[in-house]
């Protein structure tokens, strides 16, 4: 899901930037103000919402890790924070309320770098813009094949190809529309989700298949396509508009629910042990 989102994000953001560059209206100030308004209020609200739950549910060790992840989330380096955790002594990732902010950090790092790259290349090498993007995309994809380290899950240089694939799709689809590609793209996008397990999480093949699928869907996106009609249904549209909020809230809800469940289980076990001890004392 994150990989698919990166392509869509790269597509949408590049569409805004390149359109404004073509029109001569691009402004770094306006771009970053729009990003701040879009991202920060909901993010900071979510972070504030997690604080009281963390206070009541987390152990001192988990609370220390939570505070570190909170700071990393605020300053958009959460991907490197989680990458550098020693999971031998750290809390389980399933119990980390802010684990999901690693992907938001990558997106924000991309937002900082891509506008500058696009502006400079457009200004001095406009004819070669697509070549530049394609070269970096292929380079990042190739870099994935050279490393077997688990660190590449979190690092921007191993993820940038997914965002830039969205840029390439935006450039090509603005000049080319092919109908009915979603009939191929949708199965390709869904296949890796159901076929590949967690052991493939750092492999390129599942990502490549899914992202080719979403790219084909974008290529064939027209108001008359069956997929567009399905996505225009009110309920699905509401889910789509709420997707960022759902993304921000899902991990804290899951994490605190698991923590609460474990605490209840632990309390019940202690009660049973206490009852057994009491019965032994009575018998004796």
């Amino acid at each position: 899901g994150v990989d698919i989102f990166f392509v869509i994000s790269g597509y949408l953001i590049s569409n805004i930037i390149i359109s404004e560059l073509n029109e001569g209206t691009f402004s770094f100030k306006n771009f970053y103000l729009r990003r701040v308004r879009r991202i920060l209020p909901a993010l900071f609200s979510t972070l504030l919402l997690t604080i009281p739950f963390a206070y009541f549910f987390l152990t001192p060790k988990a609370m220390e890790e939570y505070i570190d992840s909170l700071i990393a989330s605020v300053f958009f380096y959460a991907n490197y924070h989680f990458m550098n955790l020693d999971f031998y002594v750290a809390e389980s990732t399933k119990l980390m309320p802010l684990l999901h902010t690693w992907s938001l950090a990558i997106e924000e790092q991309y937002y900082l770098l891509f506008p500058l790259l696009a502006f400079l290349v457009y200004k001095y090498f406009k004819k070669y813009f697509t070549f530049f993007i394609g070269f970096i995309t292929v380079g990042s994809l190739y870099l994935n094949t050279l490393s077997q380290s688990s660190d590449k899950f979190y690092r921007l240089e191993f993820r940038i190809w997914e965002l830039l694939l969205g840029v390439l799709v935006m450039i090509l689809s603005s000049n080319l529309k092919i109908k009915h590609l979603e009939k191929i793209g949708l199965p390709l996008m869904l296949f890796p989700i159901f076929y590949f397990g967690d052991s493939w999480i750092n492999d390129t093949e599942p990502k490549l298949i899914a992202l080719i699928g979403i790219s084909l869907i974008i290529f064939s996106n027209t108001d008359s396509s069956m997929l567009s009609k399905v996505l225009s249904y009110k309920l699905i549209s509401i889910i789509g508009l709420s997707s960022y909020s759902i993304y921000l809230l899902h991990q804290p809800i899951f994490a605190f629910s698991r923590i609460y469940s474990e605490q209840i289980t632990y309390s019940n076990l202690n009660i049973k042990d206490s009852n057994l001890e009491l019965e032994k004392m009575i018998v004796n």
Side-chain angles (χ1 to χ4, degrees):
V2 170
D3 304 285
I4 292 167
F5 172 75
F6 281 159
V7 173
I8 297 171
S9 180
Y11 175 87
L12 294 173
I13 293 302
S14 63
N15 193 18
I16 294 169
I17 293 173
I18 294 174
S19 295
E20 291 182 353
L21 285 171
N22 283 328
E23 295 167 4
T25 59
F26 176 74
S27 163
F28 285 101
K29 178 183 176 181
N30 290 338
F31 173 79
Y32 289 121
L33 279 176
R34 288 196 300 266
R35 292 298 91 204
V36 165
R37 293 191 191 104
R38 164 68 178 148
I39 292 168
L40 295 190
L43 173 64
F44 289 163
S45 298
T46 303
L47 296 179
L48 287 171
L49 186 64
T50 63
I51 291 174
F53 289 95
Y55 178 80
F56 285 109
F57 289 124
L58 298 184
T59 63
K61 170 66 175 172
M63 189 66 178
E64 183 181 341
E65 291 177 1
Y66 164 78
I67 292 171
D68 288 340
S69 66
L70 185 71
I71 296 169
S73 301
V74 169
F75 292 102
F76 300 117
Y77 66 91
N79 53 328
Y80 293 103
H81 165 73
F82 289 112
M83 182 186 76
N84 292 320
L85 276 182
D86 183 356
F87 286 104
Y88 186 77
V89 296
E91 293 289 309
S92 166
T93 54
K94 291 183 178 181
L95 306 180
M96 292 181 178
L98 303 179
L99 177 67
H100 62 318
T101 57
W102 71 267
S103 62
L104 184 60
I106 285 181
E107 191 179 357
E108 288 306 308
Q109 290 157 19
Y110 170 77
Y111 289 162
L112 288 172
L113 295 173
F114 179 73
L116 181 61
L117 172 68
F119 178 79
L120 291 174
V121 175
Y122 234 69
K123 185 174 182 179
Y124 297 107
F125 310 101
K126 185 176 180 179
K127 288 195 301 184
Y128 303 103
F129 183 82
T130 305
F131 171 79
F132 269 97
I133 299 301
F135 180 79
I136 299 171
T137 304
V138 172
S140 174
L141 193 54
Y142 178 65
L143 201 61
N144 276 271
T145 66
L146 299 178
S147 174
Q148 298 301 318
S149 170
S150 59
D151 289 356
K152 70 179 184 179
F153 181 85
Y154 294 103
R155 288 167 62 176
L156 177 64
E157 60 266 38
F158 293 99
R159 292 282 187 173
I160 195 72
W161 73 271
E162 300 176 330
L163 290 145
L164 293 181
L165 178 61
V167 180
L168 291 174
V169 170
M170 191 283 301
I171 294 169
L172 296 174
S173 64
S174 63
N175 300 309
L176 178 68
K177 287 287 184 185
I178 304 175
K179 292 183 178 180
H180 307 303
L181 283 179
E182 77 276 3
K183 294 175 182 177
I184 303 171
L186 189 60
L188 283 177
M189 185 183 75
L190 295 176
F191 172 71
I193 295 173
F194 296 102
Y195 181 77
F196 295 101
D198 288 347
S199 61
W200 290 81
I201 198 165
N202 267 335
D203 291 284
T204 307
E205 292 86 350
K207 298 180 179 70
L208 199 56
I209 295 169
L211 301 196
I212 289 172
I214 186 63
S215 299
L216 293 177
I217 290 171
I218 295 171
F219 262 114
S220 64
N221 182 38
T222 61
D223 292 338
S224 61
S225 71
M226 181 60 69
L227 187 60
S228 292
K229 291 176 181 177
V230 171
L231 294 176
S232 66
Y233 289 155
K234 188 172 182 180
L235 177 60
I236 296 177
S237 181
I238 291 171
I239 293 171
L241 292 171
S242 307
S243 60
Y244 179 50
S245 300
I246 294 169
Y247 154 80
L248 287 173
L249 290 170
H250 84 279
Q251 178 65 14
I253 291 171
F254 289 154
F256 287 125
S257 297
R258 293 179 185 121
I259 293 166
Y260 179 73
S261 177
E262 285 192 3
Q263 289 177 352
I264 293 295
T265 303
Y266 183 72
S267 297
N268 289 338
L269 287 173
N270 283 341
I271 291 170
K272 288 180 181 178
D273 289 342
S274 298
N275 289 339
L276 285 172
E277 289 295 326
L278 184 61
E279 286 176 9
K280 287 180 182 178
M281 290 174 63
I282 293 170
V283 170
N284 291 335

